[in-house]
Amino acid sequence: MAFNFNWSPLTADASFYTRAQELLTTALNKYPKPPIIVDDIIVNELNLGSVPPDLEILEIGDLAEDRFRGIFKMCYTGDAYLTLKTRVQANPLNTYLSTRPSFTSPQPLAASSGLTIPLQITLSEIKLSAFIILVFSRQKGLTLVFRNDPLESLKVSSTFDAIPFVREYLQKEIEGQLRTLLMDEVPAIIHRLSLRLWVPEYRAKEDEELARRSRNPISDEQPVDPLASPPQDPIDVSGNFLDASQIASLSLDSNYEHHSLFSQKNLLRLAALTDSHRTLSLFTPGIRDAVFRAWTGPSEKGELHTSSARPIPPGISRAHSWSGTTSHTYTFSDNQEGPSSAKPTLSSFGSTATGFGLGGNRSSKPSNGRRKKRRVVNLRKKAAGGEDGQSVTDEGSTISGTTSSAQSEHGAPWPCQEREGEMVTPPQSPPRKAASREQALLDDNMPTLGRRVTPRNTIIEQSDESTPKPPQDWIPNHHPSSPSTRPRLRTSHTYHSSTQQPEKAQAQTSVQASQTSSINPFQYLESPTGGILEQAWMMKMAGEIARRVNEEKAAKHGFWDRTRDGMEEIPPPAYGS
Amino acid sequence: MLDFMDYVQHAFYEASHWNRNNSYGTLTATSQALLDFPTPLGVRLHISSLSTPHFASSYTLASTGLLSGSLSYLYTSLPLPSLPTATRSLPLPAFTPTSYRQIQRLRPPDPAWWWETWHAGRRIDTRDALLYGRLYLPHSTLEALYLRRLTPTRQLKISAVSDARLPNGGSVLALLAQDHGKWSAEYMYSTDSALLGVRGLYNFGPDPRDRDAGIIPSPVMHELAGDEKTTVLAEPAEPVSRFSAGAEVYYGLLNKSGGMSTGIRFATLAAHTGFPYTMTVTLNPLMGNLSSSYSVRAGELLSLSSRFDFNVYSYESDVVMGMELWKLKDRDGSGGGGVVVEGEGKEGEDSKMSGRKEGEREESAGGDVAGCLKARIDQRGSVGLLWEGRIKELVYSCGTSIDLRGGKDLITGVGLEVQYSS
């Protein structure tokens, strides 16, 4: 998963600055002004500068196509500046008397006559440091909350810099006002803006998002962006619990709608699951709020096959799962290319999802297909993630080594390649394209290898899709506007039907383990290869998480308890039925 | 429309021989009345009564979307038995006094022995005082006023406001005023930011104390003097105009900020044969604000005023123009009212007399007055209109403020105020 922060394009948008100025002007004049300010405050100049803020992702709580929740730490020491124009009352007696009742006023004859002076204030060298909680939901818009006072320091230069008293006064007043603005107004502005902007076409929406982002540099990380980069792993696990501890200190409970993330219980279960895998133990803990992605079953394979024959192949679903930035279309087409060419192999190898044994139920799923909604994703540094992926792949291959030893050799590099390409430049398809082409070639040439690779793609698709996408019956009219919705829906059905059953999900691993021998080797080969990759990756991460959680647990007990409580109160919708 | 309590208070000034117009604070009273009159907002109903010569009460109900009101009581140690307060019988100008404030002839302060009352070899006289309180609901704002005539030349005025929304819960202003006729001074202290203030006014021209030294200014004698100027007292010719200058200085001890202004006024007196006019110039040297006004009573029914403000630092300027027009009742006799008023214009030779004569004039002419229209306009296009009149036993004033600039709405405020008193 990668985040793409576009800072400079904001400046290219001419209308952005005017719009931002208007909004700021409105916001500044909304509250009653101190009596010394006798005119409207007009935003004269606004420049966000060229230095983007430093963003550190502490936690991503919820990630889906239509929702996002995350915590960020932002530091900004850029060259943005803001120029305000207004008029101030220079007569202190006038200011003073205007706030006092006239009954006890000395009622001076002319001593209180006003002298209004045009004042120009330039705010520069703004230093911000803040913890930001960003909650995005397509229905409710974007909510952004500062957990602390974001304003660190600020340089105020005005017309009256020569007078130290006035300068100090202005500095003090403006800092206070700006704090109010940042804490109260900016979230409101962004929320309003997001609500307003959600109606138009997606492309326009994206532009608006850019604007919104720039409006508030803090909100840079748009909910969509993280999804834009094709996520390699359905569960991006990061052991960022150090950050979590920081978060805990911020007492973030209030702003979370659903505390589905990082439930300690689930983490422990994940850890147990990992252990069971390692030991081939038959005991599998039931994980309530997590569903293992299951691969398409034999019947699904058939559908996949047919769908691939259609003009819009299954890949579309994946594109949507990434929440439809342009980059997605690219990746999608690439994927399509790969799989389609590899289709024969896919079809021949049929059921990929057997590993989880969910394929059988697939036919009934599409109607009431539930989709896994919540995913706790914690992002680490990309490099680390890549390495992890690599290692996981290896591990996966070794685990699935029973099925085919050759896979691991060839299969391992692929994911990394793809992942790197996707992560670094989400929108750019070329690397991926090449990869997929190669895949296709491989598939054609070497069926076994191809199997390994292609399924992986499908797996990715599935996982991606499953994460962001709401079940169709769940929110049927969710993306009425997007033209590609329908195909995606269809594909999603075909793909995800397998993943839907939570009960089975609980038993997934064991089933998989047991099925390994019994099921058609091809099936097994295919699904496990992809599945194992993902699974192993996840497991490893889960193990790591569990370990860390255990470490953290002692220190931060309250926080986790809280989260867990919240989560239990509101179970993720995916498990509603 | 004058508030009933202000009306009673003014009566108290009159009865205690205090010239409230001889102060720097009222230097521009004429132009202020013509240009800065408040327009009512919302509906406001006053019911007032002077139940005894010592006690008055007034109740106000106001609605500007929110319902609010006030209760006020007033006690005066100086009985005001002859004060007409019933709107039924009271002429309209009593509550809506003429905006153009004719400068009266200076009144020398009462000799100190006037105030002495001896009984059985001991002084038993007390000082006149006035107590006033007003409670605003629902905000529970309390206004209190204590007014005391210390000596014939001094008056102490303490006003206080208690309101939880104010810093420190309220404030108190103490004001000590001195009026020697020739000059007057006021010293004030406000607990709010410990504001100290001094203002003074000096009237050029003959000192009334010199002329009247040792002479009881009896009305009779002055009537005589007015009629036969060349005789007995050999007074100089009655001045037709007066030139006054004043200044004020304020300094807040706590916030270490101050302000000051100076001003001059030239006004014709009653002896002036032409139409009366008043010119003022005030200058705030600290803020560079220069304000000049010119008010003229073009006729007995019409007053005009204009004011020009200019700031030498910011080059901001403002022009306001205002007028006041009285409407007489239609009577069968043509122009009767005008004649009456014309005759009255020459009255007021003596200041003490003028008060009474003023009342008489209102008494006589008030019956003819149907109403009064005030209007003002400034260069920013804001217009204020006010009509004051009478319906049966009620005095009412309705007004509106209009913004011609074409902002959000043309009419920025409409109001109606009704007063009944008995």
Side-chain angles (χ1 to χ4, degrees):
Chain A
M1 183 179 297
F3 289 83
N4 187 19
F5 299 136
N6 288 325
W7 188 255
S8 52
L10 298 177
T11 56
D13 186 1
S15 68
F16 160 71
Y17 275 126
T18 56
R19 196 169 53 223
Q21 285 179 14
E22 283 170 13
L23 280 166
L24 266 182
T25 305
T26 317
L28 284 171
N29 293 308
K30 184 178 166 191
Y31 288 125
K33 293 180 280 290
I36 197 171
I37 295 176
V38 294
D39 201 0
D40 282 354
I41 304 173
I42 296 165
V43 177
N44 198 23
E45 269 183 282
L46 174 65
N47 196 323
L48 288 178
S50 56
V51 181
D54 294 331
L55 275 172
E56 188 180 335
I57 301 164
L58 300 183
E59 179 181 319
I60 292 180
D62 188 5
L63 195 54
E65 183 178 355
D66 61 338
R67 71 190 61 202
F68 174 80
R69 187 162 60 220
I71 301 175
F72 301 86
K73 182 184 179 190
M74 188 206 64
C75 296
Y76 180 72
T77 54
D79 52 354
Y81 66 90
L82 174 70
T83 306
L84 304 172
K85 270 201 319 195
T86 185
R87 299 198 306 164
V88 293
Q89 177 60 256
N91 191 345
L93 203 60
N94 184 301
T95 315
Y96 152 75
L97 288 176
S98 65
T99 58
R100 300 298 189 269
S102 63
F103 190 72
T104 53
S105 157
Q107 292 176 328
L109 186 70
S112 63
S113 60
L115 169 62
T116 58
I117 298 177
L119 173 67
Q120 181 157 325
I121 302 173
T122 304
L123 312 181
S124 55
E125 298 178 22
I126 303 169
K127 286 189 172 53
L128 299 175
S129 171
F131 288 96
I132 300 161
I133 293 177
L134 188 73
V135 179
F136 168 76
S137 151
R138 194 174 280 269
Q139 283 88 14
K140 295 174 185 170
L142 180 72
T143 312
L144 180 145
V145 182
F146 292 97
R147 296 308 303 181
N148 61 340
D149 184 3
L151 187 63
E152 225 170 39
S153 72
L154 166 77
K155 184 189 175 191
V156 177
S157 48
S158 71
T159 321
F160 301 116
D161 269 357
I163 312 168
F165 171 76
V166 177
R167 195 181 55 208
E168 288 165 15
Y169 174 80
L170 282 176
Q171 177 91 28
K172 200 176 64 185
E173 280 286 318
I174 286 169
E175 279 188 13
Q177 288 278 329
L178 206 61
R179 286 201 165 90
T180 319
L181 178 79
L182 283 174
M183 297 284 279
D184 300 341
E185 273 304 306
V186 165
I189 291 175
I190 290 173
H191 186 68
R192 222 177 307 131
L193 205 58
S194 66
L195 283 183
R196 196 176 63 196
L197 298 182
W198 241 238
V199 185
E201 197 61 23
Y202 202 92
R203 180 66 193 171
K205 218 184 299 173
E206 198 174 276
D207 293 342
E208 299 297 344
E209 278 169 21
L210 284 177
R212 179 187 349 132
R213 227 179 293 158
S214 64
R215 275 203 45 63
N216 183 12
I218 304 138
S219 70
D220 252 8
E221 50 305 329
Q222 281 317 298
V224 177
D225 263 357
L227 300 173
S229 63
Q232 286 298 330
D233 312 298
I235 300 178
D236 250 356
V237 185
S238 100
N240 249 351
F241 287 102
L242 298 175
D243 296 335
S245 69
Q246 293 175 357
I247 294 153
S249 68
L250 296 173
S251 74
L252 76 166
D253 55 342
S254 60
N255 287 296
Y256 269 63
E257 302 169 0
H258 313 286
H259 296 257
S260 61
L261 337 173
F262 290 124
S263 145
Q264 186 181 356
K265 203 191 293 176
N266 281 349
L267 287 170
L268 290 175
R269 282 175 184 161
L270 272 177
L273 189 62
T274 313
D275 289 344
S276 72
H277 260 276
R278 284 195 182 135
T279 60
L280 289 179
S281 147
L282 288 183
F283 167 75
T284 314
I287 300 180
R288 241 185 88 216
D289 296 328
V291 174
F292 278 112
R293 197 68 46 203
W295 318 133
T296 50
S299 55
E300 280 176 341
K301 258 325 166 193
E303 276 204 7
L304 173 63
H305 193 37
T306 55
S307 67
S308 61
R310 293 177 311 204
I312 300 175
I316 274 181
S317 66
R318 179 182 173 227
H320 277 288
S321 69
W322 284 314
S323 75
T325 48
T326 49
S327 62
H328 305 314
T329 37
Y330 283 123
T331 53
F332 155 66
S333 60
D334 297 340
N335 283 337
Q336 182 181 354
E337 198 177 356
S340 60
S341 59
K343 251 166 254 153
T345 53
L346 282 179
S347 60
S348 65
F349 295 114
S351 64
T352 49
T354 52
F356 296 97
L358 298 179
N361 299 332
R362 186 204 146 276
S363 56
S364 62
K365 302 303 170 46
S367 57
N368 60 353
R370 301 172 242 117
R371 193 94 7 93
K372 160 69 180 94
K373 274 317 272 190
R374 300 284 169 210
R375 201 50 60 91
V376 175
V377 180
N378 219 326
L379 298 180
R380 270 191 160 178
K381 300 212 161 96
K382 295 308 174 191
E387 288 174 7
D388 288 346
Q390 173 89 35
S391 61
V392 167
T393 340
D394 292 341
E395 192 180 357
S397 57
T398 51
I399 287 176
S400 62
T402 53
T403 58
S404 78
S405 60
Q407 289 175 357
S408 64
E409 298 169 5
H410 295 281
W414 285 115
C416 301
Q417 213 173 344
E418 265 194 11
R419 179 177 302 153
E420 284 171 8
E422 289 170 359
M423 283 178 133
V424 174
T425 56
Q428 283 83 1
S429 56
R432 289 204 66 237
K433 210 168 196 170
S436 54
R437 286 234 171 97
E438 283 187 40
Q439 289 175 8
L441 288 176
L442 284 174
D443 291 342
D444 291 341
N445 296 336
M446 296 179 274
T448 40
L449 293 183
R451 244 180 288 140
R452 204 232 180 285
V453 173
T454 11
R456 203 201 155 280
N457 271 347
T458 58
I459 288 159
I460 291 167
E461 293 170 10
Q462 289 175 356
S463 60
D464 293 341
E465 191 178 4
S466 63
T467 317
K469 260 190 59 175
Q472 298 313 323
D473 53 351
W474 212 41
I475 306 172
N477 52 356
H478 208 265
H479 304 294
S481 63
S482 76
S484 48
T485 305
R486 248 166 249 141
R488 175 175 56 112
L489 292 185
R490 240 178 290 145
T491 55
S492 69
H493 283 295
T494 57
Y495 273 101
H496 294 282
S497 52
S498 62
T499 69
Q500 271 44 325
Q501 283 199 346
E503 327 84 48
K504 295 212 172 181
Q506 294 181 3
Q508 294 159 350
T509 47
S510 59
V511 170
Q512 181 187 358
S514 61
Q515 276 179 346
T516 309
S517 56
S518 64
I519 292 178
N520 174 0
F522 285 139
Q523 286 182 352
Y524 180 71
L525 282 182
E526 217 161 33
S527 68
T529 45
I532 280 175
L533 283 182
E534 176 189 50
Q535 205 175 335
W537 156 253
M538 182 183 72
M539 284 176 193
K540 182 181 180 185
M541 285 300 100
E544 194 176 349
I545 286 177
R547 201 178 61 236
R548 295 202 184 198
V549 163
N550 285 330
E551 293 169 3
E552 281 296 313
K553 186 180 176 181
K556 296 292 169 187
H557 210 291
F559 169 68
W560 291 113
D561 282 344
R562 212 161 40 216
T563 0
R564 182 171 44 184
D565 292 343
M567 179 187 66
E568 283 175 351
E569 286 170 8
I570 308 165
Y575 309 96
S577 60
Chain B
M1 185 161 53
L2 206 57
D3 186 72
F4 182 78
M5 289 306 180
D6 290 335
Y7 176 70
V8 176
Q9 205 173 311
H10 291 173
F12 175 84
Y13 288 135
E14 287 294 330
S16 63
H17 297 177
W18 180 259
N19 184 6
R20 64 188 169 92
N21 287 322
N22 193 22
S23 153
Y24 181 72
T26 57
L27 192 76
T28 59
T30 295
S31 60
Q32 275 181 355
L34 281 167
L35 301 175
D36 300 333
F37 59 88
T39 55
L41 190 65
V43 179
R44 200 174 286 265
L45 181 65
H46 307 270
I47 299 174
S48 323
S49 141
L50 185 68
S51 41
T52 76
H54 292 280
F55 188 76
S57 57
S58 175
Y59 310 94
T60 301
L61 194 65
S63 173
T64 56
L66 289 174
L67 202 62
S68 60
S70 70
L71 314 170
S72 51
Y73 299 97
L74 182 145
Y75 167 78
T76 166
S77 66
L78 186 67
L80 306 167
S82 61
L83 183 69
T85 55
T87 49
R88 172 176 57 249
S89 59
L90 205 60
L92 183 62
F95 280 109
T96 60
T98 315
S99 293
Y100 187 87
R101 201 169 287 186
Q102 177 66 55
I103 304 296
Q104 305 298 342
R105 185 180 169 187
L106 287 177
R107 172 172 56 193
D110 292 340
W113 54 266
W114 270 30
W115 285 29
E116 296 174 4
T117 308
W118 296 83
H119 178 72
R122 291 196 313 166
R123 275 187 70 173
I124 58 161
D125 55 295
T126 55
R127 294 291 173 257
D128 298 327
L130 183 141
L131 283 167
Y132 161 76
R134 184 171 204 158
L135 178 65
Y136 289 92
L137 296 171
H139 293 300
S140 300
T141 304
L142 183 68
E143 286 180 354
L145 172 72
Y146 177 69
L147 202 61
R148 185 178 177 86
R149 291 298 312 275
L150 299 175
T151 70
T153 58
R154 278 186 196 159
Q155 175 180 269
L156 178 66
K157 179 181 176 183
I158 297 174
S159 50
V161 169
S162 170
D163 188 341
R165 293 167 299 176
L166 292 174
N168 301 322
S171 62
V172 178
L173 173 75
L175 187 144
L176 178 68
Q178 263 186 309
D179 181 10
H180 292 276
K182 178 77 171 171
W183 60 275
S184 74
E186 288 169 294
Y187 315 94
M188 65 193 73
Y189 173 76
S190 170
T191 58
D192 213 350
S193 77
L195 186 77
L196 290 172
V198 178
R199 55 189 180 198
L201 179 72
Y202 182 81
N203 296 304
F204 293 90
D207 191 335
R209 289 170 297 183
D210 295 341
R211 186 196 59 183
D212 298 324
I215 297 175
I216 305 168
S218 92
V220 179
M221 295 213 26
H222 270 278
E223 283 299 318
L224 287 174
D227 291 338
E228 313 162 14
K229 282 177 185 169
T230 56
T231 58
V232 195
L233 296 176
E235 283 188 12
E238 193 68 26
V240 295
S241 63
R242 188 188 304 151
F243 183 75
S244 310
E248 62 181 349
V249 177
Y250 298 93
Y251 185 73
L253 292 177
L254 292 185
N255 55 16
K256 294 185 176 55
S257 63
M260 68 167 296
S261 74
T262 61
I264 54 173
R265 175 183 66 190
F266 180 82
T268 59
L269 294 179
H272 182 62
T273 52
F275 53 79
Y277 64 90
T278 302
M279 294 186 290
T280 63
V281 175
T282 60
L283 170 70
N284 185 335
L286 292 180
M287 296 299 146
N289 201 287
L290 191 66
S291 172
S292 61
S293 73
Y294 179 69
S295 309
V296 59
R297 189 162 190 176
E300 277 309 311
L301 302 178
L302 178 65
S303 301
L304 300 170
S305 180
S306 65
R307 185 176 60 205
F308 178 68
D309 295 306
F310 180 70
N311 194 302
V312 298
Y313 294 152
S314 65
Y315 299 120
E316 284 181 325
S317 61
D318 192 15
V319 176
V320 194
M321 288 177 293
M323 54 88 66
E324 180 186 76
L325 181 64
W326 287 81
K327 184 178 182 300
L328 297 182
K329 276 181 185 167
D330 289 335
R331 284 198 168 179
D332 42 8
S334 61
V339 172
V340 171
V341 175
E342 199 65 32
E344 288 157 1
K346 294 203 169 69
E347 286 180 342
E349 295 290 305
D350 187 297
S351 54
K352 285 191 75 175
M353 208 43 219
S354 71
R356 198 170 302 168
K357 294 247 176 179
E358 192 84 10
E360 289 171 8
R361 177 184 77 87
E362 288 166 357
E363 202 79 38
S364 59
D368 302 332
V369 174
C372 155
L373 175 71
K374 289 184 179 184
R376 67 152 179 262
I377 183 170
D378 67 9
Q379 70 161 16
R380 290 186 301 274
S382 79
V383 174
L385 290 173
L386 183 71
W387 169 261
E388 297 181 333
R390 173 204 289 277
I391 299 178
K392 298 190 181 293
E393 298 180 2
L394 301 177
V395 177
Y396 72 95
S397 74
C398 56
T400 180
S401 50
I402 301 170
D403 189 4
L404 293 181
R405 263 238 172 123
K408 282 174 184 172
D409 30 34
L410 183 68
I411 295 175
T412 53
V414 181
L416 173 69
E417 209 163 333
V418 179
Q419 178 158 344
Y420 174 80
S421 64
S422 63

